[in-house]
């Protein structure tokens, strides 16, 4: 009744923003991502009949039962218990090998690892698609971290969400890209992703028009991945990123995740590209900027980013593997 | 055959962005503005039969015939000549009492003053509405600078644009507001307003949805002006500003007028408001931020803005008069 799984974080190149069903965590539109090697969560789940509630430790720190983080994990475990027909509480140990608060989508790797470890510990063997559906219940972006390399998430059309899952587009060996995360000084991040997403969806006149662009962006990005067309992938990714942030900015009141360094990095990336460097940026619901380049451009990119005031740290990732079980 | 006129710049609180006819400079939607006392252009026009081309000096510097700036003024004078049935070229002296390159809409005050001085020098007496129609041909925002205080611009529906002009909403004495322009370090401004507007309109999926919000914003802003509801005016103004910039950001490639200081000022204004200060911001197609407050809050506002790194200058304006003739 125990298992250990590892999953990597991922970064959406065609953005996920907005839910069509909040209870089932169903997205309004699809998305397309790259799973990031190196940014990993390792999670062990052990169902133990003697426990009286779920016991969860995150990065060595025990989560208080009733806290938001604990509830989110316990609710997720309930889904697995219901499916598997077991009633035991679980001991969960989960640890990230990267800064949890740095806007690096630890919920993506976290719920992907938890889905795999918990179902295995519960004696289930799910297909990747089923795992992706389950992981989505914990976090929309976790559905993509089941897969390595490039993954495409479908919004699906079913009310029960069984067709809302990711699928593999191309494995990590397909394209030797690098993603450099420019960790910027934390400005005002007083709006969580979920809150910002909800406010955007409820009040921004630009949300639906943006969401309607996603299918075409996915088709172009998929083609760019298949043909390894870096310039095209960059164009679609920046358009998707800016469109998502624009839709949020036009909420009422406007949701602005950027800080001064975010803007500076955007301008520098564009300038370096005009100067001939093959790079593009993307930004999630936070102030950090993720910059992509072909592997051979990595040192030039590091040099551009490290010269920017306010960039506190650079984290380099390469295409990563999908979620998998570890020997425990 | 000569006359001198003075007109003030204005700042749109409900933004103007996008044209329905480029030749006639007809806007897609209306706008609502405050004319800014202090930021003035003074223009003298003298039709002289002996001239062989228009002779234009801006801030004491003679414009080269054939240059973009000279052509724009000569084309405008042609409209006046055609209407008045005169053929003489003109000597034009125009001067701003504020930095021309600081993103302070010198074309608004410039073409409003030119419209009034040129028609008067040509022996015409136009109504304010007619002057506003004419000024619009030079610059969309100039149509509003014909009027003092708060002005509302109509998009109109006629193909000839005769109903696309501004009208007075409330004179400068109606509401004792201050507008403080935070002049920020110039970042990358490589996209002119006209180019940004065109690219937004042609490529941004968020342009039309934004333009459809303008009428409702104008109605709310007009009500806020009539009832001197500062909080409501601020809410509409920030929404309109962020929506306009969002629509531009979602162009392909995205048009980003902000620099790091722009973002910092936005966050500081929001924070100061949470702390109780009555202020709101608006931003045009450039990196500077215009911050509004009731007159009594001016010193507190100056103190907030002057503490921000990257804010190079503060220019304070109060509600201004409409365009008027000066004794020459």
């Amino acid at each position: 009744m125990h298992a250990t799984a590892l999953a990597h974080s991922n970064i959406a190149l065609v953005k996920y923003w907005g839910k069509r069903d909040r209870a089932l965590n169903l997205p309004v539109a699809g998305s397309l991502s790259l799973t990031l090697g190196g940014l990993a969560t390792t999670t062990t789940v052990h169902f133990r009949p003697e426990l009286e509630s779920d016991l969860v430790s995150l990065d060595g720190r025990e989560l208080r039962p009733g806290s938001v983080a604990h509830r989110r994990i316990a609710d997720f475990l309930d889904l697995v218990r219901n499916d598997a027909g077991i009633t035991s509480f679980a001991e969960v140990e989960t640890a990230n090998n990267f800064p949890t608060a740095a806007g690096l989508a630890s919920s993506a790797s976290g719920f992907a690892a938890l889905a795999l470890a918990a179902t295995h510990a519960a004696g289930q063997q799910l297909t990747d698609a089923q795992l992706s559906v389950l992981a989505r219940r914990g976090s929309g972006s976790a559905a993509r971290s089941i897969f390595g390399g490039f993954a495409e998430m479908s919004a699906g059309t079913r009310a029960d969400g069984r067709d809302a899952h990711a699928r593999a587009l191309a494995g990590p060996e397909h394209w030797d890209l690098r993603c450099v995360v420019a960790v910027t000084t934390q400005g005002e991040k007083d709006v969580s992703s979920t809150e910002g997403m909800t406010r955007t969806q409820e009040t921004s006149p630009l949300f639906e028009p943006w969401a309607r662009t996603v299918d075409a962006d996915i088709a172009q990005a998929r083609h760019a991945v298949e043909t390894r067309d870096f310039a095209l992938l960059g164009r679609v990714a920046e358009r998707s990123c800016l469109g998502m942030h624009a839709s949020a900015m036009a909420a009422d009141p406007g949701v602005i995740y950027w800080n001064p360094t975010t803007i500076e990095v955007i301008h520098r990336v564009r300038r370096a590209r005009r100067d001939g460097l093959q790079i593009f940026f993307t930004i999630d619901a936070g102030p950090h900027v993720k910059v992509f380049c072909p592997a051979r451009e990595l040192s030039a990119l590091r040099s551009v980013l490290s010269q920017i005031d306010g960039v506190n740290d650079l984290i380099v990732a390469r295409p990563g593997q999908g979620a998998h079980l570890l020997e425990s």
Side-chain angles (χ1 to χ4, degrees), chain A:
Chain A
M1 297 295 275
H2 69 97
T4 299
L6 181 151
H8 292 112
S9 183
N10 74 76
I11 175 89
L13 297 172
V14 177
K15 293 297 184 194
Y16 155 52
W17 196 238
K19 302 181 197 231
R20 68 179 164 96
D21 182 303
R22 240 166 264 166
L24 291 175
N25 221 11
L26 293 172
V28 161
S31 50
L32 188 149
S33 63
L34 179 64
T35 294
L36 300 177
L39 304 179
T41 302
T42 305
T43 300
T44 300
V45 176
H46 196 161
F47 288 103
R48 310 179 85 122
E50 71 274 21
L51 289 176
E52 294 187 351
S53 66
D54 293 312
L55 204 65
V56 184
S57 81
L58 167 63
D59 292 335
R61 220 165 24 86
E62 200 162 307
L63 297 182
R64 190 172 49 76
S67 64
V68 173
H70 187 281
R71 275 221 315 274
R72 206 170 158 195
I73 288 169
D75 287 350
F76 187 87
L77 291 170
D78 282 347
L79 299 174
V80 177
R81 281 187 280 253
N82 281 344
D83 265 12
I86 60 175
T87 53
S88 298
F89 289 106
E91 186 177 342
V92 177
E93 275 181 56
T94 184
N96 298 317
N97 73 346
F98 58 96
T100 306
L104 294 167
S106 55
S107 65
S109 50
F111 282 100
L114 185 61
L116 183 58
T119 52
H120 207 80
Q124 295 184 298
Q125 284 230 309
L126 273 57
T127 64
D128 281 351
Q130 289 169 326
L131 273 175
S132 181
V133 165
L134 176 63
R136 187 202 74 229
R137 298 289 296 273
S139 167
S141 55
R144 300 183 307 245
S145 275
I146 297 299
F147 302 92
F150 291 92
E152 179 183 332
M153 175 78 191
S154 299
T157 53
R158 293 178 57 117
D160 66 5
R162 261 192 286 168
D163 56 351
H165 59 77
R167 67 185 176 93
L169 279 186
E173 71 298 328
H174 171 69
W175 200 354
D176 197 18
L177 296 182
R178 294 292 179 277
C179 172
V180 182
V181 183
V183 179
T184 68
T185 31
Q186 196 73 20
E188 306 252 290
K189 192 188 167 171
D190 39 22
V191 181
S192 73
S193 304
T194 303
E195 190 189 334
M197 206 184 262
T198 304
R199 196 198 297 170
T200 301
Q201 219 175 329
E202 288 177 354
T203 70
S204 173
L206 306 191
F207 175 71
E208 282 188 26
W210 174 74
R212 281 195 297 271
T213 69
V214 173
D215 279 350
D217 279 354
I218 288 180
Q220 279 205 346
R222 191 194 303 128
H223 178 74
V225 167
E226 282 162 2
T227 59
R228 296 191 196 88
D229 184 336
F230 188 86
L232 178 62
L233 186 61
R235 184 160 184 184
V236 178
E238 291 191 0
R239 185 168 75 202
S240 178
C241 160
L242 292 175
M244 170 209 137
H245 283 274
S247 77
M249 238 167 235
D252 189 16
V255 178
I256 303 177
Y257 285 114
W258 300 352
N259 69 24
T261 308
T262 315
I263 281 276
E264 185 63 19
V265 175
I266 291 173
H267 288 308
R268 298 281 189 108
V269 166
R270 290 176 146 198
R271 200 188 307 161
R273 184 165 54 223
R274 282 197 298 271
D275 293 345
L277 205 60
Q278 283 195 286
I279 49 176
F280 67 80
F281 66 82
T282 188
I283 307 161
D284 287 312
H288 313 297
V289 186
K290 286 89 173 183
V291 189
F292 283 77
C293 68
R296 67 178 176 283
E297 306 268 38
L298 178 62
S299 72
L301 171 56
R302 290 187 80 119
S303 148
V304 167
L305 295 177
S306 61
Q307 282 163 29
I308 301 174
D309 277 351
V311 170
N312 290 344
D313 198 10
L314 298 180
I315 300 171
V316 180
R318 58 178 73 204
Q321 304 292 332
H324 53 276
L325 291 166
L326 300 178
E327 301 290 326
S328 53

mmCIF file of all heavy atoms in Angstrom, chain A residues 184-188 257-267 287 308-310:
data_model
loop_
_atom_site.group_PDB
_atom_site.id
_atom_site.type_symbol
_atom_site.label_atom_id
_atom_site.label_comp_id
_atom_site.label_asym_id
_atom_site.label_seq_id
_atom_site.Cartn_x
_atom_site.Cartn_y
_atom_site.Cartn_z
ATOM 1 N N THR A 184 12.540 37.096 -10.702
ATOM 2 C CA THR A 184 12.610 38.550 -10.503
ATOM 3 C C THR A 184 12.240 38.893 -9.065
ATOM 4 O O THR A 184 11.545 38.138 -8.397
ATOM 5 C CB THR A 184 11.635 39.270 -11.450
ATOM 6 O OG1 THR A 184 10.299 38.965 -11.051
ATOM 7 C CG2 THR A 184 11.847 38.821 -12.889
ATOM 8 N N THR A 185 12.708 40.045 -8.646
ATOM 9 C CA THR A 185 12.323 40.509 -7.311
ATOM 10 C C THR A 185 10.814 40.457 -7.185
ATOM 11 O O THR A 185 10.094 40.849 -8.086
ATOM 12 C CB THR A 185 12.741 41.981 -7.106
ATOM 13 O OG1 THR A 185 12.692 42.647 -8.376
ATOM 14 C CG2 THR A 185 14.109 42.071 -6.506
ATOM 15 N N GLN A 186 10.373 39.960 -6.077
ATOM 16 C CA GLN A 186 8.937 39.851 -5.838
ATOM 17 C C GLN A 186 8.361 41.249 -5.651
ATOM 18 O O GLN A 186 8.747 41.966 -4.744
ATOM 19 C CB GLN A 186 8.681 39.000 -4.593
ATOM 20 C CG GLN A 186 7.261 38.498 -4.472
ATOM 21 C CD GLN A 186 6.942 37.384 -5.478
ATOM 22 O OE1 GLN A 186 7.829 36.744 -5.999
ATOM 23 N NE2 GLN A 186 5.673 37.192 -5.765
ATOM 24 N N GLY A 187 7.464 41.637 -6.553
ATOM 25 C CA GLY A 187 6.774 42.918 -6.374
ATOM 26 C C GLY A 187 5.539 42.673 -5.546
ATOM 27 O O GLY A 187 5.573 41.951 -4.554
ATOM 28 N N GLU A 188 4.428 43.211 -6.022
ATOM 29 C CA GLU A 188 3.157 43.004 -5.359
ATOM 30 C C GLU A 188 2.487 41.784 -5.961
ATOM 31 O O GLU A 188 1.859 41.897 -7.010
ATOM 32 C CB GLU A 188 2.238 44.185 -5.638
ATOM 33 C CG GLU A 188 2.781 45.536 -5.305
ATOM 34 C CD GLU A 188 2.093 46.099 -4.084
ATOM 35 O OE1 GLU A 188 0.921 46.440 -4.188
ATOM 36 O OE2 GLU A 188 2.737 46.157 -3.029
ATOM 37 N N TYR A 257 0.222 40.919 -12.957
ATOM 38 C CA TYR A 257 1.183 40.049 -12.302
ATOM 39 C C TYR A 257 2.617 40.526 -12.483
ATOM 40 O O TYR A 257 3.518 39.987 -11.865
ATOM 41 C CB TYR A 257 1.056 38.617 -12.846
ATOM 42 C CG TYR A 257 -0.159 37.895 -12.315
ATOM 43 C CD1 TYR A 257 -1.200 37.535 -13.141
ATOM 44 C CD2 TYR A 257 -0.259 37.597 -10.954
ATOM 45 C CE1 TYR A 257 -2.308 36.870 -12.650
ATOM 46 C CE2 TYR A 257 -1.361 36.935 -10.456
ATOM 47 C CZ TYR A 257 -2.391 36.578 -11.307
ATOM 48 O OH TYR A 257 -3.489 35.932 -10.810
ATOM 49 N N TRP A 258 2.847 41.502 -13.338
ATOM 50 C CA TRP A 258 4.200 41.907 -13.668
ATOM 51 C C TRP A 258 4.765 42.893 -12.662
ATOM 52 O O TRP A 258 4.043 43.703 -12.085
ATOM 53 C CB TRP A 258 4.220 42.551 -15.058
ATOM 54 C CG TRP A 258 3.763 41.649 -16.143
ATOM 55 C CD1 TRP A 258 3.481 40.313 -16.050
ATOM 56 C CD2 TRP A 258 3.516 42.018 -17.505
ATOM 57 N NE1 TRP A 258 3.090 39.839 -17.287
ATOM 58 C CE2 TRP A 258 3.102 40.850 -18.187
ATOM 59 C CE3 TRP A 258 3.624 43.212 -18.224
ATOM 60 C CZ2 TRP A 258 2.781 40.859 -19.548
ATOM 61 C CZ3 TRP A 258 3.315 43.215 -19.566
ATOM 62 C CH2 TRP A 258 2.900 42.051 -20.223
ATOM 63 N N ASN A 259 6.049 42.835 -12.480
ATOM 64 C CA ASN A 259 6.742 43.876 -11.717
ATOM 65 C C ASN A 259 7.705 44.575 -12.680
ATOM 66 O O ASN A 259 7.799 44.219 -13.857
ATOM 67 C CB ASN A 259 7.406 43.280 -10.455
ATOM 68 C CG ASN A 259 8.573 42.368 -10.771
ATOM 69 O OD1 ASN A 259 9.195 42.461 -11.821
ATOM 70 N ND2 ASN A 259 8.878 41.476 -9.842
ATOM 71 N N PRO A 260 8.417 45.614 -12.217
ATOM 72 C CA PRO A 260 9.287 46.343 -13.135
ATOM 73 C C PRO A 260 10.294 45.443 -13.847
ATOM 74 O O PRO A 260 10.557 45.621 -15.040
ATOM 75 C CB PRO A 260 9.989 47.357 -12.221
ATOM 76 C CG PRO A 260 8.985 47.630 -11.145
ATOM 77 C CD PRO A 260 8.311 46.298 -10.903
ATOM 78 N N THR A 261 10.836 44.462 -13.131
ATOM 79 C CA THR A 261 11.840 43.598 -13.759
ATOM 80 C C THR A 261 11.220 42.734 -14.859
ATOM 81 O O THR A 261 11.862 42.445 -15.874
ATOM 82 C CB THR A 261 12.518 42.717 -12.691
ATOM 83 O OG1 THR A 261 12.981 43.570 -11.640
ATOM 84 C CG2 THR A 261 13.690 41.962 -13.266
ATOM 85 N N THR A 262 9.968 42.319 -14.645
ATOM 86 C CA THR A 262 9.275 41.542 -15.674
ATOM 87 C C THR A 262 9.303 42.291 -17.010
ATOM 88 O O THR A 262 9.646 41.734 -18.056
ATOM 89 C CB THR A 262 7.802 41.305 -15.263
ATOM 90 O OG1 THR A 262 7.744 40.912 -13.907
ATOM 91 C CG2 THR A 262 7.155 40.252 -16.142
ATOM 92 N N ILE A 263 8.925 43.568 -16.962
ATOM 93 C CA ILE A 263 8.885 44.400 -18.178
ATOM 94 C C ILE A 263 10.288 44.553 -18.758
ATOM 95 O O ILE A 263 10.491 44.488 -19.972
ATOM 96 C CB ILE A 263 8.334 45.801 -17.834
ATOM 97 C CG1 ILE A 263 6.824 45.756 -17.714
ATOM 98 C CG2 ILE A 263 8.726 46.817 -18.901
ATOM 99 C CD1 ILE A 263 6.098 45.874 -19.039
ATOM 100 N N GLU A 264 11.253 44.761 -17.887
ATOM 101 C CA GLU A 264 12.619 44.946 -18.360
ATOM 102 C C GLU A 264 13.095 43.682 -19.087
ATOM 103 O O GLU A 264 13.718 43.763 -20.147
ATOM 104 C CB GLU A 264 13.549 45.291 -17.187
ATOM 105 C CG GLU A 264 14.972 45.610 -17.585
ATOM 106 C CD GLU A 264 15.113 46.849 -18.470
ATOM 107 O OE1 GLU A 264 14.178 47.676 -18.496
ATOM 108 O OE2 GLU A 264 16.146 46.975 -19.135
ATOM 109 N N VAL A 265 12.794 42.516 -18.510
ATOM 110 C CA VAL A 265 13.217 41.267 -19.160
ATOM 111 C C VAL A 265 12.534 41.130 -20.526
ATOM 112 O O VAL A 265 13.171 40.769 -21.519
ATOM 113 C CB VAL A 265 12.912 40.036 -18.270
ATOM 114 C CG1 VAL A 265 13.247 38.736 -19.014
ATOM 115 C CG2 VAL A 265 13.716 40.104 -16.967
ATOM 116 N N ILE A 266 11.254 41.453 -20.598
ATOM 117 C CA ILE A 266 10.549 41.386 -21.890
ATOM 118 C C ILE A 266 11.268 42.243 -22.934
ATOM 119 O O ILE A 266 11.564 41.795 -24.041
ATOM 120 C CB ILE A 266 9.083 41.871 -21.741
ATOM 121 C CG1 ILE A 266 8.255 40.884 -20.931
ATOM 122 C CG2 ILE A 266 8.446 42.088 -23.120
ATOM 123 C CD1 ILE A 266 6.845 41.377 -20.609
ATOM 124 N N HIS A 267 11.558 43.490 -22.567
ATOM 125 C CA HIS A 267 12.209 44.384 -23.536
ATOM 126 C C HIS A 267 13.595 43.871 -23.923
ATOM 127 O O HIS A 267 13.989 43.920 -25.080
ATOM 128 C CB HIS A 267 12.301 45.808 -22.980
ATOM 129 C CG HIS A 267 10.977 46.526 -22.923
ATOM 130 N ND1 HIS A 267 10.129 46.619 -24.008
ATOM 131 C CD2 HIS A 267 10.348 47.183 -21.915
ATOM 132 C CE1 HIS A 267 9.041 47.304 -23.664
ATOM 133 N NE2 HIS A 267 9.147 47.665 -22.401
ATOM 134 N N PRO A 287 5.443 37.183 -11.492
ATOM 135 C CA PRO A 287 6.339 38.169 -12.105
ATOM 136 C C PRO A 287 7.567 37.584 -12.804
ATOM 137 O O PRO A 287 8.304 38.320 -13.455
ATOM 138 C CB PRO A 287 6.777 39.006 -10.903
ATOM 139 C CG PRO A 287 6.771 38.043 -9.764
ATOM 140 C CD PRO A 287 5.662 37.050 -10.049
ATOM 141 N N ILE A 308 20.629 41.898 -16.014
ATOM 142 C CA ILE A 308 19.444 42.711 -15.728
ATOM 143 C C ILE A 308 19.268 42.915 -14.224
ATOM 144 O O ILE A 308 19.173 41.951 -13.466
ATOM 145 C CB ILE A 308 18.184 42.050 -16.335
ATOM 146 C CG1 ILE A 308 18.368 41.904 -17.849
ATOM 147 C CG2 ILE A 308 16.939 42.848 -16.003
ATOM 148 C CD1 ILE A 308 17.258 41.139 -18.547
ATOM 149 N N ASP A 309 19.243 44.194 -13.824
ATOM 150 C CA ASP A 309 18.962 44.507 -12.421
ATOM 151 C C ASP A 309 17.611 43.922 -12.031
ATOM 152 O O ASP A 309 16.645 44.067 -12.776
ATOM 153 C CB ASP A 309 18.849 46.032 -12.248
ATOM 154 C CG ASP A 309 20.213 46.674 -12.102
ATOM 155 O OD1 ASP A 309 21.203 45.942 -11.958
ATOM 156 O OD2 ASP A 309 20.265 47.917 -12.155
ATOM 157 N N GLY A 310 17.548 43.308 -10.879
ATOM 158 C CA GLY A 310 16.257 42.782 -10.421
ATOM 159 C C GLY A 310 16.086 41.308 -10.731
ATOM 160 O O GLY A 310 15.166 40.683 -10.220
#
